């Protein structure tokens, strides 16, 4: 049961939260983590913890009546989505007017549902987005620490050249090379040795069995197996699941009281409890942490929060697109769910793009090459408080996504020209070739140095901290979780050393 008081509280259990809880636990500080999603460790009636993408059931999504998969169609047929019962499933798609955002729900946050790509940004770009952060320290100390803590590993390049699972990536690489483009291997937190055994048929398949966005039953080093396991191992950290923080109130003595809504997995509210703490860490992700502080400011609970709260949000320039492969360029029916290769055109002077070569794990030949393009889109959105729904609404208009499309189009027009290929127009529900109405990489809202100081301390309040992707100003140029992890490592080290955090 939830105590009335804990010296430290961490909201959420994603990357920033997990790092923070581990380091607090190691420092001997009793810490409660509050997570609105479930702990994913019990098998369902089919003997599995998670369902796959081909036959999704209620475990797939967070309180939806029908799944909302990123590839909405195939040959314009609505084959990707299925009716499900509303339930506290693992993947949420939060739909705002002009933008939808995918996020993980459960102990481990996004690590439960993501593609496991563990990429460090180019140092020059890191210096551009976060100029006030010491890059020597990040690249010398905190990125290595993050990679070690996350269990990042690299693919066996000889195996890559001959395996069935990455035939799709080799087909895309050939097309990139014909265009004169560089490709690069992408480090991962999916265990590539396990994947080898999956292909050899000696272990139960996961990444090779269409398991990705609704969770992986094997192979994935998600946070519950890395940072969070270590945090619990300190003996000072506990995790409360199905516990959503609704409000943050500050008491006269400076301590914080949280209003926590406890539910069951069907969404029935069981109770509303109060938990007080001296040190409060927000790790509820870009959407979650930003909403909590926008609500707190605009309802007058934390009136000294700055105008910067809710600003500086971006999509990391995400765009998805598909190209039609030539009939002779078959990918085979087996595609590893975890990407392992990217097209690196980030040094392009007009349209920098880092494009992940993404699988279509449909279990059949699709003659499609799919990409998640990460582009440098300067547009930023912001959040406003909507009193009627007591929630924060993202303000982002469709035209703000156009720079992302322009960049992706400039790259893939070249690829198509060099290979005499065309785009796929059947993948996103209508006839568009570029899908930029959703992002996997929500970043910003509580930007480092604006809403907080240079170490995530929220301006205007003592002992209140931001630890997650909301610190990053809208863009990282690559997939973001290693950067979120490394920044959290940097910040919590400083906070524990300077702010007197103790039991
Ligand atoms: P994160 O979102 O991980 O965690 C926040 C947690 O807080 C969640 O568990 C949420 O339920 C909880 N929460 C929110 N509000 C709460 C409240 N009020 N009370 C209690 N709990 C609350 N990145 C990458 O680097 N490589 C990749 O391959 C991919 N691929 C990818 C695929 C898909 C499908 C998705 C959705 C995302 C990715 N990402 C990715 C992105 C990556 O997963 C994402 O950037 C991080 O998970 C963000 O980490 P945070 O610590 O910011 O929060």
């Amino acid at each position: 049961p939830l105590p009335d008081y804990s010296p430290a509280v961490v909201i959420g259990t994603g990357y920033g939260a997990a790092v923070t809880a581990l380091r607090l636990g190691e420092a001997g500080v009793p810490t409660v983590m509050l997570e609105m999603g479930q702990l994913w460790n019990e098998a369902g009636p089919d003997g599995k913890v998670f369902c796959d993408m081909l036959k999704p059931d209620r475990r797939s999504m967070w309180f939806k009546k029908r799944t909302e998969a990123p590839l909405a169609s195939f040959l314009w047929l609505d084959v990707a989505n299925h009716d499900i019962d509303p339930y506290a499933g693992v993947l949420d798609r939060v739909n705002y007017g002009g933008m939808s955002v995918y996020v993980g729900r459960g102990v481990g946050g996004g690590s439960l549902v993501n593609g496991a790509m563990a990429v460090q940004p180019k140092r020059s770009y890191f210096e551009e987005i976060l100029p006030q952060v010491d890059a020597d320290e990040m690249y010398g100390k905190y990125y290595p620490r993050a990679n070690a803590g996350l269990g990042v590993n690299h693919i066996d390049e000889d195996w890559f050249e001959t395996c069935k699972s990455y035939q799709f990536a080799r087909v895309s690489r050939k097309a990139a090379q014909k265009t004169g483009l560089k490709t690069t291997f992408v480090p991962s937190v999916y265990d590539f040795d396990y994947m080898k055994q999956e292909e050899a048929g000696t272990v139960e398949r996961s990444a090779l069995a269409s398991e990705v966005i609704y969770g992986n039953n094997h192979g994935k080093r998600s946070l519950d197996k890395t940072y969070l396991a270590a945090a619990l191992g300190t003996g000072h950290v506990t995790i409360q699941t199905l516990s959503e923080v609704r409000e943050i109130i500050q008491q006269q003595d400076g301590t914080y009281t949280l209003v926590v809504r406890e539910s069951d997995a069907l969404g029935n509210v069981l109770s509303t409890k109060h938990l007080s703490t001296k040190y409060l860490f927000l790790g509820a992700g870009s959407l979650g942490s930003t909403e909590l502080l926008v609500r707190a400011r605009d309802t007058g609970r934390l009136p000294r929060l700055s105008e910067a709260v809710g600003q500086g949000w971006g999509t990391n320039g995400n765009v998805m697109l598909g190209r039609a492969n030539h009939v002779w360029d078959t990918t085979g029916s087996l595609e590893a769910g975890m990407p392992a290769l990217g097209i690196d055109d980030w040094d392009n002077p007009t349209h920098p793009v880092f494009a992940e070569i993404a699988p279509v794990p449909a279990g059949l030949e699709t003659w499609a090459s799919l990409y998640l393009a990460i582009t440098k889109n300067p547009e930023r959105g912001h959040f406003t408080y909507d009193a009627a729904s007591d929630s924060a609404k993202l303000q982002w208009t469709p035209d703000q996504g156009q720079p992302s499309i322009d960049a992706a189009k400039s790259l893939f027009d070249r690829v198509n020209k060099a290979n005499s290929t065309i785009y796929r127009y059947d993948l996103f529900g209508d006839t568009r070739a570029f899908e930029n109405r959703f992002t996997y990489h929500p970043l910003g809202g509580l930007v480092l140095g604006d809403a907080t100081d240079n170490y995530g301390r929220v301006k205007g309040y003592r002992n209140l901290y931001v630890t997650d992707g909301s610190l990053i100003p809208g863009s990282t140029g690559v997939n973001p979780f290693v950067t979120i992890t490394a920044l959290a490592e940097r910040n919590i080290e400083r906070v524990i050393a300077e702010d007197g955090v103790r039991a």
Side-chain angles (χ1 to χ4, degrees):
L2 198 64
D4 297 332
Y5 178 81
S6 173
V9 169
V10 178
I11 306 176
T13 56
Y15 291 90
V19 168
T20 303
L22 170 59
R23 301 308 172 200
L24 289 170
E26 284 176 343
V29 182
T31 302
V32 172
M33 302 185 83
L34 298 167
E35 168 56 53
M36 67 192 278
Q38 303 198 67
L39 174 64
W40 291 92
N41 69 344
E42 267 175 48
D46 59 354
K48 293 184 174 185
V49 174
F50 297 108
C51 62
D52 67 31
M53 288 166 65
L54 303 181
K55 279 206 223 78
D57 57 35
R58 68 177 191 170
R59 291 170 291 185
S60 62
M61 293 204 75
W62 182 256
F63 296 104
K64 303 272 181 193
K65 292 198 172 100
R66 189 168 173 78
T67 60
E68 298 177 18
L71 288 193
S73 58
F74 178 67
L75 296 174
W76 294 283
L77 297 172
D78 183 10
V79 286
N81 287 311
H82 298 265
D83 290 336
I84 51 171
D85 292 327
Y87 182 69
V90 72
L91 179 70
D92 198 359
R93 176 172 167 141
V94 183
N95 297 312
Y96 301 102
M99 175 55 58
S100 295
V101 183
Y102 283 104
V103 292
R105 298 259 180 248
V107 174
S111 77
L112 296 168
V113 298
N114 69 30
M117 287 171 275
V119 195
Q120 286 181 205
K122 294 215 162 69
R123 184 174 159 147
S124 55
Y125 191 60
F126 180 86
E127 289 172 355
E128 193 178 319
I129 51 170
L130 289 169
Q132 76 278 31
V133 175
D134 182 341
D136 273 343
E137 243 183 26
M138 285 299 286
Y139 283 77
K141 189 170 172 190
Y142 299 112
Y143 274 115
R145 188 177 290 179
N147 284 319
L150 292 166
V152 173
N153 75 145
H154 299 261
I155 198 165
D156 171 346
E157 296 183 16
D158 293 331
W159 180 73
F160 174 86
E161 294 303 336
T162 54
C163 66
K164 288 198 177 116
S165 318
Y166 286 111
Q167 170 73 14
F168 78 93
R170 298 195 300 269
V171 165
S172 270
R173 181 180 59 184
K174 188 173 80 173
Q177 285 170 344
K178 224 175 157 187
T179 319
L181 292 163
K182 273 194 310 230
T183 59
T184 176
F185 285 103
V186 168
S188 181
V189 294
Y190 195 85
D191 181 344
F192 281 121
D193 281 332
Y194 189 86
M195 193 189 287
K196 265 189 190 172
Q197 297 173 59
E198 290 181 56
E199 181 159 318
T202 55
V203 295
E204 199 174 325
R205 286 183 168 182
S206 180
L208 302 199
S210 304
E211 291 179 1
V212 190
I213 61 170
Y214 303 139
N216 280 89
N217 287 300
H218 305 281
K220 167 86 88 69
R221 293 169 183 161
S222 46
L223 290 167
D224 49 323
K225 306 203 169 53
T226 59
Y227 272 101
L228 292 170
L232 294 175
T234 66
H236 297 292
V237 176
T238 57
I239 303 176
Q240 301 280 333
T241 58
L242 292 167
S243 301
E244 184 191 358
V245 177
R246 295 294 307 174
E247 296 204 47
I248 304 169
I249 299 158
Q250 194 180 35
Q251 305 297 341
Q252 296 279 304
D253 63 358
T255 59
Y256 296 96
T257 300
L258 303 175
V259 178
V260 183
R261 186 193 279 168
E262 295 180 325
S263 307
D264 66 17
L266 297 173
N268 302 304
V269 177
L270 303 177
S271 61
T272 300
K273 293 206 173 137
H274 288 199
L275 168 62
S276 295
T277 186
K278 180 156 184 209
Y279 298 96
L280 178 58
F281 297 86
L282 275 68
S286 168
L287 301 187
S289 294
T290 306
E291 174 166 86
L292 282 168
L293 290 194
V294 167
R295 183 190 287 132
R297 181 191 58 200
D298 292 3
T299 56
R301 297 279 199 204
L302 300 179
R304 294 194 308 279
L305 288 172
S306 80
E307 285 305 307
V309 165
Q311 301 294 319
W313 186 88
T315 64
N316 206 21
N318 276 194
V319 195
M320 277 204 116
L321 65 126
R323 289 176 43 251
N325 293 332
H326 291 298
V327 281
W328 56 86
D329 276 334
T330 53
T331 62
S333 57
L334 186 66
E335 299 196 14
M338 305 295 149
L341 205 65
I343 299 175
D344 182 0
D345 198 28
W346 196 258
D347 294 330
N348 187 300
T350 44
H351 288 306
V353 180
F354 186 75
E356 307 291 359
I357 297 174
V360 189
L364 47 89
E365 176 65 52
T366 60
W367 281 282
S369 283
L370 188 69
Y371 304 89
L372 174 66
I374 296 171
T375 65
K376 188 176 171 182
N377 184 338
E379 291 290 332
R380 293 292 175 266
H382 66 275
F383 292 85
T384 52
Y385 177 67
D386 176 55
S389 59
D390 188 25
S391 63
K393 298 279 188 225
L394 174 63
Q395 306 300 324
W396 174 273
T397 55
D399 56 295
Q400 291 184 281
Q402 194 57 40
S404 308
I405 292 187
D406 293 345
K409 185 170 186 310
S410 136
L411 176 67
F412 285 99
D413 279 358
R414 281 161 65 203
V415 177
N416 279 335
K417 187 155 179 250
N419 291 275
S420 305
T421 49
I422 58 167
Y423 292 108
R424 288 283 293 245
Y425 298 95
D426 61 321
L427 301 175
F428 305 114
D430 49 24
T431 57
R432 73 188 63 220
F434 298 94
E435 174 62 282
N436 71 339
R437 294 168 297 177
F438 69 74
T439 182
Y440 296 124
H441 300 164
L443 294 170
L446 303 169
V447 171
L448 190 79
D450 294 344
T452 74
D453 79 349
N454 196 23
Y455 291 90
R457 301 174 177 110
V458 175
K459 288 184 181 168
Y461 288 87
R462 280 191 58 184
N463 304 336
L464 179 61
Y465 309 90
V466 180
T467 70
D468 56 30
S470 44
L471 291 171
I472 296 176
S475 169
T476 51
V478 293
N479 319 64
F481 75 59
V482 183
T483 299
I484 295 170
T485 305
L487 201 59
E489 287 281 21
R490 166 191 179 269
N491 295 349
I492 191 63
E493 188 177 80
R494 174 67 65 118
V495 164
I496 288 175
E498 285 186 351
D499 291 18
V501 187
R502 65 181 73 86

